[in-house]
Every structure is written in structure tokens, then in C-alpha cells.
Amino acid sequence: MSNVKSIARTASRPARDRLWRRLRDITGRDVIEVRVTPAAYGEGTVWCAMAIDSNRREIPLPGSTKEVAGLIRRAFVDADWHRAHDYDVTTGALTEHAIAMPGCLLGDATRRGRC
């Protein structure tokens, strides 16, 4: 696998508490994680959001996706929002979502076999 580096940022305790309360107000449940992902749409970009509850289940966000994504993006304005990010509500850490690529997909001749 290739080395994957992701940049992490952490919200202050008051900011983390505000985000937790706001996410709870929006979803009606305790949220432990939010993933915000950019997507090309027509000539522009939209941001998709997925929220996870304390039982590790996805929380439906009908009509709230834009609000949830905007909440996280405004809290971390210095993040590179051209990439997906995971926000851990319990720690206040925002991390770029990065997936390791297998060496065989990167042309690594030393890795034989199925990819």
C-alpha cells in the first residue's frame, strides 16, 4: 500500500461543544462522526454530508445535508475543502479522508498477484 498522509485539525473545547450541540439540534440524535465530501455538480461543487450516531449507524439527513456540511466547513475554514474530511465529534478532530492505494495499482512491479 502507498503511504497515506492526512492533515488533522482540532477544534477548541468550546467550539467542539457548540458543534456537538448544533449537530444534535439538527439531527435529533447524538452524532459521533461527520464526513463531508465535495462533489462536482454541473459547473460547480456541492458538499455531501454523512452523519454517524453512537451506535455506528448512519443518520438520515433529508433536507439537512447542506446545513451539516456548512456547519463543519465554517468551523474549519482553513481546511482544503477540495478533499473529503472526517470530523470526530468526540475529539473535535477534523482529518482529511485518505484511502491507501495498493502498490499494484500504482505500478509497483514488486507486488505480484491480484490487486
Side-chain angles (χ1 to χ4, degrees):
M1 297 269 183
S2 66
N3 290 335
V4 176
K5 295 181 180 178
S6 61
I7 299 169
R9 294 164 175 78
T10 305
S12 66
R13 180 65 186 215
R16 182 173 66 202
D17 291 346
R18 281 191 304 274
L19 286 170
W20 177 83
R21 281 192 304 275
R22 189 67 189 115
L23 288 167
R24 181 152 176 69
D25 289 346
I26 294 168
T27 64
R29 296 195 239 177
D30 286 334
V31 177
I32 63 165
E33 184 179 341
V34 176
R35 177 169 299 156
V36 178
T37 306
Y41 185 74
E43 297 293 317
T45 301
V46 295
W47 284 268
C48 305
M50 179 179 74
I52 304 294
D53 69 13
S54 57
N55 294 320
R56 303 299 303 164
R57 294 191 178 164
E58 184 175 352
I59 299 170
L61 297 173
S64 302
T65 301
K66 186 176 181 178
E67 184 178 7
V68 169
L71 180 69
I72 302 301
R73 290 181 64 235
R74 283 189 304 276
F76 296 94
V77 294
D78 60 334
D80 176 5
W81 288 106
H82 292 96
R83 299 189 63 180
H85 285 77
D86 297 322
Y87 176 64
D88 184 329
V89 179
T90 59
T91 64
L94 180 78
T95 308
E96 286 185 4
H97 183 76
I99 299 173
M101 291 290 286
C104 59
L105 292 178
L106 298 172
D108 184 353
T110 62
R111 299 230 174 202
R112 301 262 187 241
R114 284 192 240 172
C115 202

